[in-house]
Amino acid sequence: MTRSLLRGRTLSFHRFPQSADDLAACSYVEDGAVLIDNGSIVASGTYDEIAPMASDATVIDHRPNLILPGFVDCHAHCPQMQVIASYGAELLDWLNKYTFPEETKFANPQHSRRIARQFLDELIRYGTTSVVAYCSVHKSSAEAFFAESDARNMLNVAGKVMMDRNAPAGVLDTPQSSYDDTKALIAEWHGKGRQHYAVTPRFAITSSPEQMEMAGALMREHPGLHMQTHLSENHAEIAYTCELYPQAKDYTDVYDRYGLLGPRSLFGHAIHLSERERDALSDSGSVAVFCPTSNLFLGSGLFPYQENRSRTKPLRIATATDVGGGTNYSMLRTMDEAYKIIALQGEKLNPLASFWQITRGNAEALSLANRIGTLEAGTDADIVILDARATPAMRLRMETVETLAEELFLLQTLGDDRAVVEVYIAGKPAKSDLGTN
Ligand code: GUN
Ligand code: ZN
């Protein structure tokens, strides 16, 4: 495979940036270069340093654009592409009225394949190179997702949802069938190429205690797997969960009782948590996934991002689109809404921290920063190229921009897929390669 050298303004983070001036948190190189060989980054630094090592490489000149690690979306629902933009409901009604009926269609493998293809196309178009995805309850929907992900050589984490009650028959499994299907999917896909399996009990309302036991057993039998579910998104959901699990101390304790907390456990939303619940998440190293556009769209609430980060026992936090409760595939649009949610709580999220979050921060939340989320040598070459002058309005605003932090904030505030010039997946151009479907 030929080597390639990307030239441009490289930006990669080492740690959380404390302020918009905290440039020590990142490597930013005005005339930078990334050398790619066989899907991996073999070197990054200044163009003058790297070019002599790359006389055989094809040079792709992205100047004056930014070269960043590809974005990581830590929670999205593949089968909800035709649910996005469904009007007028809060969580439980939205699930019953729109989402569950839509997900019944994924019993059809052909439909699953079509949507999996469109879903990954769309994410790539917006600069996302890794996603943590929920498939439908049907085994074939996870098979379609992984087949499509593997064919593109993407590093994705996904699982078939386990749900055996409180939903229409067309989206229900049983404790035993969900265990058997999950086992078979793990055997077939986990560790195949760049694929990772996540055990996926949808949430406590749609899983019986027997199914939760099965989810716990799967996690014990397969150490190192991710687990994903929903937690404390909406007040009616919390009240119903506590009715269904009267022995539990609170919603978080429901998952704790079945051994589902831990450093690879991802809890979508996690908005309305008590101090006890936050301590339990923090003590176990569990991750709270902030889904700004969804939390606003469904009227769920304001995730306390800064408070969760700065408490004595801080939470590990990821960010995500939560398509189709979320309203956009873009991690730029997601962080724009995150900024506003944080502002409503009297705080600010600095632009360097935003871009840390959607690259290295989300990779760290997945315990995958040794593979994705940075431009460091030895990691996978998943890369996004960003143009802060992509639209007339952006170009005009850029005339007054003086710092990197200002440019990033402009990208976050006005940017979307139009600002994504190119995407590389394991070193191969992926956005320019998309069909026009
Ligand atoms: N809780 C259980 N399922 C879902 C879902 O599909 N979307 C959201 N936003 N919350 C959920
Ligand atoms: Zn969700």
Side-chain angles (χ1 to χ4, degrees):
M1 190 175 174
T2 52
R3 306 205 304 164
S4 42
L5 184 74
L6 311 188
R7 185 174 188 180
R9 295 160 55 226
T10 55
L11 176 62
S12 177
F13 293 92
H14 313 303
R15 61 163 171 78
F16 182 83
Q18 299 295 342
S19 72
D21 307 322
D22 186 8
L23 287 168
C26 64
S27 293
Y28 170 60
V29 184
E30 281 279 350
D31 189 7
V34 180
L35 180 59
I36 299 169
D37 190 358
N38 201 21
S40 296
I41 296 174
V42 291
S44 57
T46 66
Y47 178 77
D48 287 345
E49 273 164 14
I50 307 295
M53 303 160 56
S55 52
D56 60 333
T58 308
V59 178
I60 306 167
D61 194 346
H62 284 298
R63 288 176 299 169
N65 294 328
L66 285 162
I67 302 178
L68 270 81
F71 302 147
V72 180
D73 179 350
C74 289
H75 180 132
H77 295 260
C78 181
Q80 295 179 13
M81 292 194 83
Q82 293 180 311
V83 175
I84 200 167
S86 292
Y87 171 77
E90 289 196 358
L91 176 64
L92 298 179
D93 289 341
W94 174 86
L95 285 170
N96 288 318
K97 190 168 167 190
Y98 302 114
T99 308
F100 293 154
E102 179 63 26
E103 292 194 13
T104 62
K105 296 180 190 162
F106 288 75
N108 176 348
Q110 206 182 328
H111 182 67
S112 294
R113 282 196 292 274
R114 173 174 177 241
I115 300 295
R117 208 172 300 134
Q118 299 265 3
F119 183 70
L120 294 176
D121 277 1
E122 205 59 17
L123 289 170
I124 289 168
R125 196 167 280 130
Y126 283 88
T128 294
T129 49
S130 289
V131 65
V132 184
Y134 287 67
C135 302
S136 77
V137 72
H138 315 94
K139 184 173 174 236
S140 56
S141 99
E143 275 162 354
F145 178 91
F146 281 120
E148 195 58 37
S149 171
D150 187 42
R152 294 161 193 248
N153 202 13
M154 291 178 83
L155 190 162
N156 288 321
V157 183
K160 147 210 145 54
V161 293
M162 305 167 72
M163 50 193 293
D164 67 346
R165 64 175 181 181
N166 293 322
V171 284
L172 292 184
D173 54 18
T174 68
Q176 191 61 46
S177 75
S178 68
Y179 176 85
D180 294 343
D181 287 350
T182 300
K183 274 296 237 209
L185 287 164
I186 293 166
E188 188 177 358
W189 292 106
H190 183 67
K192 177 157 195 262
R194 305 179 73 204
Q195 308 315 306
H196 291 249
Y197 198 85
V199 173
T200 310
R202 184 178 204 120
F203 67 159
I205 290 176
T206 50
S207 285
S208 65
E210 295 71 28
Q211 184 164 67
M212 298 286 261
E213 293 278 4
M214 293 294 197
L218 287 162
M219 291 303 288
R220 282 193 302 280
E221 291 162 14
H222 299 275
L225 286 191
H226 287 92
M227 192 288 304
Q228 60 179 344
T229 189
H230 296 84
L231 170 66
S232 211
E233 178 175 0
N234 158 297
H235 293 295
E237 172 215 17
I238 298 166
Y240 189 21
T241 303
C242 293
E243 260 175 53
L244 291 169
Y245 286 92
Q247 305 85 351
K249 284 185 235 164
D250 46 45
Y251 196 164
T252 302
D253 189 48
V254 175
Y255 295 125
D256 204 358
R257 284 168 168 251
Y258 297 99
L260 296 177
L261 270 55
R264 287 184 178 256
S265 296
L266 309 169
F267 291 96
H269 309 287
I271 302 169
H272 309 286
L273 298 175
S274 67
E275 291 302 324
R276 194 214 75 77
E277 291 180 283
R278 288 194 273 188
D279 285 351
L281 292 180
S282 177
D283 289 342
S284 59
S286 300
V287 175
V289 187
F290 178 20
C291 305
T293 70
S294 170
N295 296 166
L296 293 173
F297 181 74
L298 293 174
S300 301
L302 306 179
F303 181 87
Y305 181 93
Q306 301 290 35
E307 192 186 317
N308 283 339
R309 274 194 61 85
S310 59
R311 64 198 298 278
T312 313
K313 289 186 173 186
L315 292 196
R316 295 174 72 205
I317 298 173
T319 54
T321 61
D322 190 33
V323 162
T327 52
N328 206 288
Y329 293 86
S330 167
M331 291 307 291
L332 297 174
R333 307 284 357 101
T334 296
M335 294 314 292
D336 181 42
E337 299 301 291
Y339 177 86
K340 296 171 193 169
I341 287 176
I342 293 164
L344 279 168
Q345 298 169 83
E347 305 268 1
K348 296 287 180 278
L349 182 65
N350 81 72
L352 294 179
S354 275
F355 280 76
W356 167 86
Q357 181 71 69
I358 59 179
T359 57
R360 185 180 190 120
N362 282 349
E364 283 181 358
L366 302 179
S367 304
L368 287 170
N370 61 339
R371 298 259 50 86
I372 57 173
T374 73
L375 299 178
E376 288 169 18
T379 67
D380 303 345
D382 292 347
I383 288 169
V384 62
I385 311 296
L386 297 177
D387 177 8
R389 295 179 183 80
T391 68
M394 291 172 80
R395 207 173 307 130
L396 188 68
R397 179 65 177 87
M398 268 300 279
E399 289 176 11
T400 66
V401 161
E402 290 175 353
T403 66
L404 174 66
E406 287 174 8
E407 180 178 353
L408 295 175
F409 197 56
L410 190 162
L411 273 163
Q412 170 185 304
T413 309
L414 292 179
D416 50 34
D417 56 325
R418 293 168 295 179
V420 176
V421 175
E422 183 58 287
V423 172
Y424 295 87
I425 306 273
K428 286 218 180 107
K431 180 161 176 173
S432 53
D433 205 37
L434 291 175
T436 46
N437 43 29

